[in-house]
PDB file of all heavy atoms in Angstrom:
ATOM      1  N   ALA A   6      20.798  55.297 -25.481  1.00  0.00           N
ATOM      2  CA  ALA A   6      20.243  55.959 -26.657  1.00  0.00           C
ATOM      3  C   ALA A   6      19.052  55.205 -27.214  1.00  0.00           C
ATOM      4  O   ALA A   6      18.211  55.778 -27.879  1.00  0.00           O
ATOM      5  CB  ALA A   6      21.318  56.082 -27.731  1.00  0.00           C
ATOM      6  N   LEU A   7      18.966  53.893 -26.935  1.00  0.00           N
ATOM      7  CA  LEU A   7      17.894  53.107 -27.546  1.00  0.00           C
ATOM      8  C   LEU A   7      16.547  53.381 -26.902  1.00  0.00           C
ATOM      9  O   LEU A   7      15.524  53.304 -27.554  1.00  0.00           O
ATOM     10  CB  LEU A   7      18.218  51.614 -27.430  1.00  0.00           C
ATOM     11  CG  LEU A   7      19.511  51.181 -28.118  1.00  0.00           C
ATOM     12  CD1 LEU A   7      19.702  49.697 -27.927  1.00  0.00           C
ATOM     13  CD2 LEU A   7      19.467  51.523 -29.578  1.00  0.00           C
ATOM     14  N   THR A   8      16.519  53.642 -25.599  1.00  0.00           N
ATOM     15  CA  THR A   8      15.221  53.744 -24.934  1.00  0.00           C
ATOM     16  C   THR A   8      15.012  55.035 -24.161  1.00  0.00           C
ATOM     17  O   THR A   8      13.932  55.271 -23.652  1.00  0.00           O
ATOM     18  CB  THR A   8      15.046  52.604 -23.917  1.00  0.00           C
ATOM     19  OG1 THR A   8      16.214  52.564 -23.109  1.00  0.00           O
ATOM     20  CG2 THR A   8      14.851  51.292 -24.622  1.00  0.00           C
ATOM     21  N   ASN A  10      14.720  58.114 -25.091  1.00  0.00           N
ATOM     22  CA  ASN A  10      13.814  59.104 -25.670  1.00  0.00           C
ATOM     23  C   ASN A  10      12.345  58.759 -25.521  1.00  0.00           C
ATOM     24  O   ASN A  10      11.499  59.603 -25.766  1.00  0.00           O
ATOM     25  CB  ASN A  10      14.145  59.315 -27.147  1.00  0.00           C
ATOM     26  CG  ASN A  10      15.234  60.359 -27.303  1.00  0.00           C
ATOM     27  OD1 ASN A  10      15.852  60.756 -26.343  1.00  0.00           O
ATOM     28  ND2 ASN A  10      15.460  60.800 -28.525  1.00  0.00           N
ATOM     29  N   ILE A  11      12.047  57.521 -25.113  1.00  0.00           N
ATOM     30  CA  ILE A  11      10.627  57.177 -24.955  1.00  0.00           C
ATOM     31  C   ILE A  11       9.991  58.103 -23.930  1.00  0.00           C
ATOM     32  O   ILE A  11       8.936  58.672 -24.146  1.00  0.00           O
ATOM     33  CB  ILE A  11      10.457  55.718 -24.476  1.00  0.00           C
ATOM     34  CG1 ILE A  11      11.069  54.756 -25.461  1.00  0.00           C
ATOM     35  CG2 ILE A  11       8.995  55.386 -24.319  1.00  0.00           C
ATOM     36  CD1 ILE A  11      11.014  53.324 -24.987  1.00  0.00           C
ATOM     37  N   TYR A  15      11.749  64.348 -24.939  1.00  0.00           N
ATOM     38  CA  TYR A  15      11.148  65.672 -25.094  1.00  0.00           C
ATOM     39  C   TYR A  15      11.677  66.634 -24.039  1.00  0.00           C
ATOM     40  O   TYR A  15      12.114  67.747 -24.336  1.00  0.00           O
ATOM     41  CB  TYR A  15       9.631  65.518 -24.988  1.00  0.00           C
ATOM     42  CG  TYR A  15       8.871  66.797 -25.016  1.00  0.00           C
ATOM     43  CD1 TYR A  15       8.796  67.547 -26.174  1.00  0.00           C
ATOM     44  CD2 TYR A  15       8.220  67.260 -23.889  1.00  0.00           C
ATOM     45  CE1 TYR A  15       8.096  68.726 -26.202  1.00  0.00           C
ATOM     46  CE2 TYR A  15       7.516  68.442 -23.918  1.00  0.00           C
ATOM     47  CZ  TYR A  15       7.457  69.169 -25.080  1.00  0.00           C
ATOM     48  OH  TYR A  15       6.763  70.343 -25.096  1.00  0.00           O
ATOM     49  N   ALA A  18      15.262  67.695 -24.587  1.00  0.00           N
ATOM     50  CA  ALA A  18      15.394  68.730 -25.621  1.00  0.00           C
ATOM     51  C   ALA A  18      14.970  70.086 -25.066  1.00  0.00           C
ATOM     52  O   ALA A  18      15.571  71.114 -25.389  1.00  0.00           O
ATOM     53  CB  ALA A  18      14.552  68.360 -26.838  1.00  0.00           C
ATOM     54  N   ILE A  19      13.935  70.095 -24.231  1.00  0.00           N
ATOM     55  CA  ILE A  19      13.481  71.361 -23.655  1.00  0.00           C
ATOM     56  C   ILE A  19      14.536  71.954 -22.731  1.00  0.00           C
ATOM     57  O   ILE A  19      14.826  73.158 -22.771  1.00  0.00           O
ATOM     58  CB  ILE A  19      12.160  71.156 -22.910  1.00  0.00           C
ATOM     59  CG1 ILE A  19      11.084  70.854 -23.918  1.00  0.00           C
ATOM     60  CG2 ILE A  19      11.818  72.362 -22.071  1.00  0.00           C
ATOM     61  CD1 ILE A  19       9.740  71.295 -23.546  1.00  0.00           C
ATOM     62  N   ARG A  21      17.686  71.514 -22.845  1.00  0.00           N
ATOM     63  CA  ARG A  21      18.796  72.024 -23.643  1.00  0.00           C
ATOM     64  C   ARG A  21      18.430  73.347 -24.298  1.00  0.00           C
ATOM     65  O   ARG A  21      19.283  74.203 -24.494  1.00  0.00           O
ATOM     66  CB  ARG A  21      19.206  70.993 -24.693  1.00  0.00           C
ATOM     67  CG  ARG A  21      20.036  69.902 -24.082  1.00  0.00           C
ATOM     68  CD  ARG A  21      20.368  68.801 -25.079  1.00  0.00           C
ATOM     69  NE  ARG A  21      21.027  67.718 -24.388  1.00  0.00           N
ATOM     70  CZ  ARG A  21      22.351  67.595 -24.276  1.00  0.00           C
ATOM     71  NH1 ARG A  21      23.136  68.495 -24.826  1.00  0.00           N
ATOM     72  NH2 ARG A  21      22.870  66.601 -23.623  1.00  0.00           N
ATOM     73  N   GLY A  22      17.162  73.518 -24.661  1.00  0.00           N
ATOM     74  CA  GLY A  22      16.740  74.809 -25.179  1.00  0.00           C
ATOM     75  C   GLY A  22      16.860  75.898 -24.118  1.00  0.00           C
ATOM     76  O   GLY A  22      17.312  77.015 -24.395  1.00  0.00           O
ATOM     77  N   HIS A  23      16.485  75.566 -22.875  1.00  0.00           N
ATOM     78  CA  HIS A  23      16.619  76.542 -21.794  1.00  0.00           C
ATOM     79  C   HIS A  23      18.074  76.911 -21.577  1.00  0.00           C
ATOM     80  O   HIS A  23      18.421  78.055 -21.290  1.00  0.00           O
ATOM     81  CB  HIS A  23      16.077  75.969 -20.478  1.00  0.00           C
ATOM     82  CG  HIS A  23      14.601  75.901 -20.421  1.00  0.00           C
ATOM     83  ND1 HIS A  23      13.783  76.902 -20.868  1.00  0.00           N
ATOM     84  CD2 HIS A  23      13.782  74.951 -19.948  1.00  0.00           C
ATOM     85  CE1 HIS A  23      12.523  76.563 -20.681  1.00  0.00           C
ATOM     86  NE2 HIS A  23      12.488  75.394 -20.121  1.00  0.00           N
ATOM     87  N   ARG A  24      18.951  75.904 -21.691  1.00  0.00           N
ATOM     88  CA  ARG A  24      20.358  76.161 -21.444  1.00  0.00           C
ATOM     89  C   ARG A  24      20.904  77.166 -22.440  1.00  0.00           C
ATOM     90  O   ARG A  24      21.792  77.964 -22.108  1.00  0.00           O
ATOM     91  CB  ARG A  24      21.121  74.851 -21.553  1.00  0.00           C
ATOM     92  CG  ARG A  24      22.627  74.992 -21.530  1.00  0.00           C
ATOM     93  CD  ARG A  24      23.194  74.004 -22.507  1.00  0.00           C
ATOM     94  NE  ARG A  24      24.629  73.992 -22.487  1.00  0.00           N
ATOM     95  CZ  ARG A  24      25.349  74.461 -23.471  1.00  0.00           C
ATOM     96  NH1 ARG A  24      24.791  74.964 -24.525  1.00  0.00           N
ATOM     97  NH2 ARG A  24      26.654  74.403 -23.401  1.00  0.00           N
ATOM     98  N   ALA A  25      20.360  77.142 -23.673  1.00  0.00           N
ATOM     99  CA  ALA A  25      20.861  78.075 -24.675  1.00  0.00           C
ATOM    100  C   ALA A  25      20.571  79.512 -24.291  1.00  0.00           C
ATOM    101  O   ALA A  25      21.187  80.432 -24.824  1.00  0.00           O
ATOM    102  CB  ALA A  25      20.237  77.767 -26.033  1.00  0.00           C
ATOM    103  N   GLU A  53      15.776  86.549 -21.805  1.00  0.00           N
ATOM    104  CA  GLU A  53      14.560  85.812 -21.484  1.00  0.00           C
ATOM    105  C   GLU A  53      13.885  86.285 -20.213  1.00  0.00           C
ATOM    106  O   GLU A  53      12.775  85.889 -19.909  1.00  0.00           O
ATOM    107  CB  GLU A  53      14.898  84.338 -21.301  1.00  0.00           C
ATOM    108  CG  GLU A  53      15.494  83.722 -22.532  1.00  0.00           C
ATOM    109  CD  GLU A  53      14.575  82.666 -23.096  1.00  0.00           C
ATOM    110  OE1 GLU A  53      13.857  82.045 -22.297  1.00  0.00           O
ATOM    111  OE2 GLU A  53      14.572  82.470 -24.309  1.00  0.00           O
ATOM    112  N   GLN A 308      24.554  62.965 -24.255  1.00  0.00           N
ATOM    113  CA  GLN A 308      23.114  62.979 -24.417  1.00  0.00           C
ATOM    114  C   GLN A 308      22.513  61.765 -23.719  1.00  0.00           C
ATOM    115  O   GLN A 308      23.203  60.814 -23.408  1.00  0.00           O
ATOM    116  CB  GLN A 308      22.798  62.930 -25.913  1.00  0.00           C
ATOM    117  CG  GLN A 308      21.515  63.612 -26.302  1.00  0.00           C
ATOM    118  CD  GLN A 308      21.259  63.519 -27.790  1.00  0.00           C
ATOM    119  OE1 GLN A 308      22.172  63.378 -28.566  1.00  0.00           O
ATOM    120  NE2 GLN A 308      20.002  63.596 -28.152  1.00  0.00           N
ATOM    121  N   PHE A 309      21.202  61.795 -23.507  1.00  0.00           N
ATOM    122  CA  PHE A 309      20.456  60.648 -22.981  1.00  0.00           C
ATOM    123  C   PHE A 309      20.764  60.339 -21.517  1.00  0.00           C
ATOM    124  O   PHE A 309      20.976  59.183 -21.142  1.00  0.00           O
ATOM    125  CB  PHE A 309      20.683  59.376 -23.815  1.00  0.00           C
ATOM    126  CG  PHE A 309      20.467  59.565 -25.289  1.00  0.00           C
ATOM    127  CD1 PHE A 309      21.483  59.341 -26.192  1.00  0.00           C
ATOM    128  CD2 PHE A 309      19.240  59.977 -25.784  1.00  0.00           C
ATOM    129  CE1 PHE A 309      21.279  59.508 -27.548  1.00  0.00           C
ATOM    130  CE2 PHE A 309      19.028  60.146 -27.136  1.00  0.00           C
ATOM    131  CZ  PHE A 309      20.062  59.907 -28.017  1.00  0.00           C
TER     132      PHE A 309
ATOM    133  N   TRP B  42      11.439  52.768 -34.593  1.00  0.00           N
ATOM    134  CA  TRP B  42      12.327  53.060 -33.471  1.00  0.00           C
ATOM    135  C   TRP B  42      13.115  54.345 -33.758  1.00  0.00           C
ATOM    136  O   TRP B  42      13.191  55.241 -32.932  1.00  0.00           O
ATOM    137  CB  TRP B  42      13.288  51.871 -33.311  1.00  0.00           C
ATOM    138  CG  TRP B  42      13.878  51.687 -31.956  1.00  0.00           C
ATOM    139  CD1 TRP B  42      14.172  52.640 -31.037  1.00  0.00           C
ATOM    140  CD2 TRP B  42      14.295  50.449 -31.378  1.00  0.00           C
ATOM    141  NE1 TRP B  42      14.734  52.077 -29.924  1.00  0.00           N
ATOM    142  CE2 TRP B  42      14.826  50.724 -30.112  1.00  0.00           C
ATOM    143  CE3 TRP B  42      14.280  49.124 -31.812  1.00  0.00           C
ATOM    144  CZ2 TRP B  42      15.333  49.741 -29.269  1.00  0.00           C
ATOM    145  CZ3 TRP B  42      14.782  48.147 -30.976  1.00  0.00           C
ATOM    146  CH2 TRP B  42      15.306  48.457 -29.711  1.00  0.00           C
ATOM    147  N   TYR B  45      10.876  57.554 -33.652  1.00  0.00           N
ATOM    148  CA  TYR B  45      10.490  58.127 -32.363  1.00  0.00           C
ATOM    149  C   TYR B  45      11.689  58.719 -31.634  1.00  0.00           C
ATOM    150  O   TYR B  45      11.561  59.701 -30.910  1.00  0.00           O
ATOM    151  CB  TYR B  45       9.716  57.135 -31.477  1.00  0.00           C
ATOM    152  CG  TYR B  45      10.514  56.279 -30.540  1.00  0.00           C
ATOM    153  CD1 TYR B  45      11.222  56.817 -29.467  1.00  0.00           C
ATOM    154  CD2 TYR B  45      10.532  54.909 -30.696  1.00  0.00           C
ATOM    155  CE1 TYR B  45      11.943  56.019 -28.610  1.00  0.00           C
ATOM    156  CE2 TYR B  45      11.243  54.093 -29.841  1.00  0.00           C
ATOM    157  CZ  TYR B  45      11.958  54.663 -28.805  1.00  0.00           C
ATOM    158  OH  TYR B  45      12.668  53.853 -27.967  1.00  0.00           O
ATOM    159  N   ILE B  46      12.876  58.132 -31.831  1.00  0.00           N
ATOM    160  CA  ILE B  46      14.048  58.717 -31.173  1.00  0.00           C
ATOM    161  C   ILE B  46      14.294  60.119 -31.708  1.00  0.00           C
ATOM    162  O   ILE B  46      14.521  61.071 -30.949  1.00  0.00           O
ATOM    163  CB  ILE B  46      15.298  57.827 -31.404  1.00  0.00           C
ATOM    164  CG1 ILE B  46      15.156  56.508 -30.658  1.00  0.00           C
ATOM    165  CG2 ILE B  46      16.559  58.529 -30.945  1.00  0.00           C
ATOM    166  CD1 ILE B  46      16.325  55.577 -30.848  1.00  0.00           C
ATOM    167  N   SER B  49      11.012  62.807 -30.899  1.00  0.00           N
ATOM    168  CA  SER B  49      10.805  63.401 -29.571  1.00  0.00           C
ATOM    169  C   SER B  49      11.817  64.511 -29.307  1.00  0.00           C
ATOM    170  O   SER B  49      11.467  65.573 -28.781  1.00  0.00           O
ATOM    171  CB  SER B  49      10.862  62.332 -28.493  1.00  0.00           C
ATOM    172  OG  SER B  49      12.022  61.561 -28.623  1.00  0.00           O
ATOM    173  N   SER B  50      13.085  64.295 -29.705  1.00  0.00           N
ATOM    174  CA  SER B  50      14.065  65.368 -29.512  1.00  0.00           C
ATOM    175  C   SER B  50      13.760  66.549 -30.406  1.00  0.00           C
ATOM    176  O   SER B  50      13.931  67.711 -29.996  1.00  0.00           O
ATOM    177  CB  SER B  50      15.470  64.875 -29.842  1.00  0.00           C
ATOM    178  OG  SER B  50      15.890  63.916 -28.928  1.00  0.00           O
ATOM    179  N   ILE B  52      10.872  67.645 -31.547  1.00  0.00           N
ATOM    180  CA  ILE B  52       9.739  68.442 -31.067  1.00  0.00           C
ATOM    181  C   ILE B  52      10.151  69.307 -29.884  1.00  0.00           C
ATOM    182  O   ILE B  52       9.830  70.484 -29.803  1.00  0.00           O
ATOM    183  CB  ILE B  52       8.583  67.517 -30.663  1.00  0.00           C
ATOM    184  CG1 ILE B  52       7.998  66.855 -31.893  1.00  0.00           C
ATOM    185  CG2 ILE B  52       7.512  68.286 -29.944  1.00  0.00           C
ATOM    186  CD1 ILE B  52       6.946  65.853 -31.569  1.00  0.00           C
ATOM    187  N   GLY B  53      10.893  68.732 -28.953  1.00  0.00           N
ATOM    188  CA  GLY B  53      11.290  69.501 -27.781  1.00  0.00           C
ATOM    189  C   GLY B  53      12.218  70.642 -28.138  1.00  0.00           C
ATOM    190  O   GLY B  53      12.088  71.761 -27.634  1.00  0.00           O
ATOM    191  N   ALA B  54      13.177  70.354 -29.055  1.00  0.00           N
ATOM    192  CA  ALA B  54      14.132  71.400 -29.411  1.00  0.00           C
ATOM    193  C   ALA B  54      13.476  72.493 -30.226  1.00  0.00           C
ATOM    194  O   ALA B  54      13.902  73.646 -30.184  1.00  0.00           O
ATOM    195  CB  ALA B  54      15.294  70.783 -30.197  1.00  0.00           C
ATOM    196  N   ILE B  56      10.771  73.929 -29.803  1.00  0.00           N
ATOM    197  CA  ILE B  56      10.017  74.921 -29.029  1.00  0.00           C
ATOM    198  C   ILE B  56      10.830  76.191 -28.877  1.00  0.00           C
ATOM    199  O   ILE B  56      10.330  77.297 -29.030  1.00  0.00           O
ATOM    200  CB  ILE B  56       9.648  74.345 -27.658  1.00  0.00           C
ATOM    201  CG1 ILE B  56       8.584  73.277 -27.849  1.00  0.00           C
ATOM    202  CG2 ILE B  56       9.164  75.424 -26.722  1.00  0.00           C
ATOM    203  CD1 ILE B  56       8.092  72.689 -26.582  1.00  0.00           C
ATOM    204  N   LYS B  57      12.118  76.039 -28.571  1.00  0.00           N
ATOM    205  CA  LYS B  57      12.939  77.232 -28.403  1.00  0.00           C
ATOM    206  C   LYS B  57      13.549  77.702 -29.720  1.00  0.00           C
ATOM    207  O   LYS B  57      13.971  78.843 -29.832  1.00  0.00           O
ATOM    208  CB  LYS B  57      14.101  76.936 -27.434  1.00  0.00           C
ATOM    209  CG  LYS B  57      13.697  76.885 -25.997  1.00  0.00           C
ATOM    210  CD  LYS B  57      13.304  78.254 -25.512  1.00  0.00           C
ATOM    211  CE  LYS B  57      12.761  78.199 -24.116  1.00  0.00           C
ATOM    212  NZ  LYS B  57      13.552  78.922 -23.156  1.00  0.00           N
ATOM    213  N   LEU B 126      17.906  52.464 -36.367  1.00  0.00           N
ATOM    214  CA  LEU B 126      18.368  52.919 -35.059  1.00  0.00           C
ATOM    215  C   LEU B 126      19.473  53.950 -35.192  1.00  0.00           C
ATOM    216  O   LEU B 126      19.474  54.988 -34.536  1.00  0.00           O
ATOM    217  CB  LEU B 126      18.929  51.738 -34.281  1.00  0.00           C
ATOM    218  CG  LEU B 126      17.952  50.960 -33.448  1.00  0.00           C
ATOM    219  CD1 LEU B 126      18.625  49.745 -32.875  1.00  0.00           C
ATOM    220  CD2 LEU B 126      17.446  51.838 -32.335  1.00  0.00           C
ATOM    221  N   ILE B 130      19.254  57.855 -33.884  1.00  0.00           N
ATOM    222  CA  ILE B 130      20.048  58.455 -32.815  1.00  0.00           C
ATOM    223  C   ILE B 130      20.824  59.655 -33.343  1.00  0.00           C
ATOM    224  O   ILE B 130      20.904  60.702 -32.672  1.00  0.00           O
ATOM    225  CB  ILE B 130      20.988  57.401 -32.210  1.00  0.00           C
ATOM    226  CG1 ILE B 130      20.163  56.326 -31.514  1.00  0.00           C
ATOM    227  CG2 ILE B 130      21.948  58.025 -31.232  1.00  0.00           C
ATOM    228  CD1 ILE B 130      20.963  55.165 -31.020  1.00  0.00           C
ATOM    229  N   SER B 133      18.510  62.602 -33.692  1.00  0.00           N
ATOM    230  CA  SER B 133      18.201  63.258 -32.428  1.00  0.00           C
ATOM    231  C   SER B 133      19.302  64.236 -32.037  1.00  0.00           C
ATOM    232  O   SER B 133      19.054  65.405 -31.701  1.00  0.00           O
ATOM    233  CB  SER B 133      18.015  62.177 -31.362  1.00  0.00           C
ATOM    234  OG  SER B 133      18.218  62.684 -30.089  1.00  0.00           O
ATOM    235  N   SER B 134      20.567  63.771 -32.123  1.00  0.00           N
ATOM    236  CA  SER B 134      21.670  64.672 -31.797  1.00  0.00           C
ATOM    237  C   SER B 134      21.743  65.822 -32.785  1.00  0.00           C
ATOM    238  O   SER B 134      22.100  66.946 -32.416  1.00  0.00           O
ATOM    239  CB  SER B 134      22.994  63.910 -31.819  1.00  0.00           C
ATOM    240  OG  SER B 134      22.930  62.804 -30.979  1.00  0.00           O
ATOM    241  N   LEU B 137      19.236  68.527 -31.779  1.00  0.00           N
ATOM    242  CA  LEU B 137      19.648  69.295 -30.606  1.00  0.00           C
ATOM    243  C   LEU B 137      20.825  70.214 -30.931  1.00  0.00           C
ATOM    244  O   LEU B 137      20.900  71.341 -30.436  1.00  0.00           O
ATOM    245  CB  LEU B 137      20.028  68.341 -29.474  1.00  0.00           C
ATOM    246  CG  LEU B 137      18.878  67.521 -28.915  1.00  0.00           C
ATOM    247  CD1 LEU B 137      19.374  66.573 -27.844  1.00  0.00           C
ATOM    248  CD2 LEU B 137      17.804  68.404 -28.346  1.00  0.00           C
ATOM    249  N   GLN B 141      21.205  74.688 -31.244  1.00  0.00           N
ATOM    250  CA  GLN B 141      22.172  75.552 -30.575  1.00  0.00           C
ATOM    251  C   GLN B 141      23.029  76.322 -31.574  1.00  0.00           C
ATOM    252  O   GLN B 141      23.422  77.447 -31.328  1.00  0.00           O
ATOM    253  CB  GLN B 141      23.108  74.721 -29.707  1.00  0.00           C
ATOM    254  CG  GLN B 141      22.405  73.864 -28.687  1.00  0.00           C
ATOM    255  CD  GLN B 141      22.247  74.550 -27.369  1.00  0.00           C
ATOM    256  OE1 GLN B 141      22.894  75.560 -27.126  1.00  0.00           O
ATOM    257  NE2 GLN B 141      21.407  74.035 -26.525  1.00  0.00           N
TER     258      GLN B 141
END
Side-chain angles (χ1 to χ4, degrees):
Chain A
L7 300 180
T8 50
N10 274 11
I11 300 176
Y15 175 70
I19 291 210
R21 282 175 187 267
H23 286 318
R24 171 219 184 251
E53 300 245 330
Q308 210 180 335
F309 309 120
Chain B
W42 204 329
Y45 91 66
I46 291 179
S49 51
S50 293
I52 291 175
I56 289 183
K57 284 291 174 117
L126 271 174
I130 294 173
S133 157
S134 305
L137 294 178
Q141 304 268 345

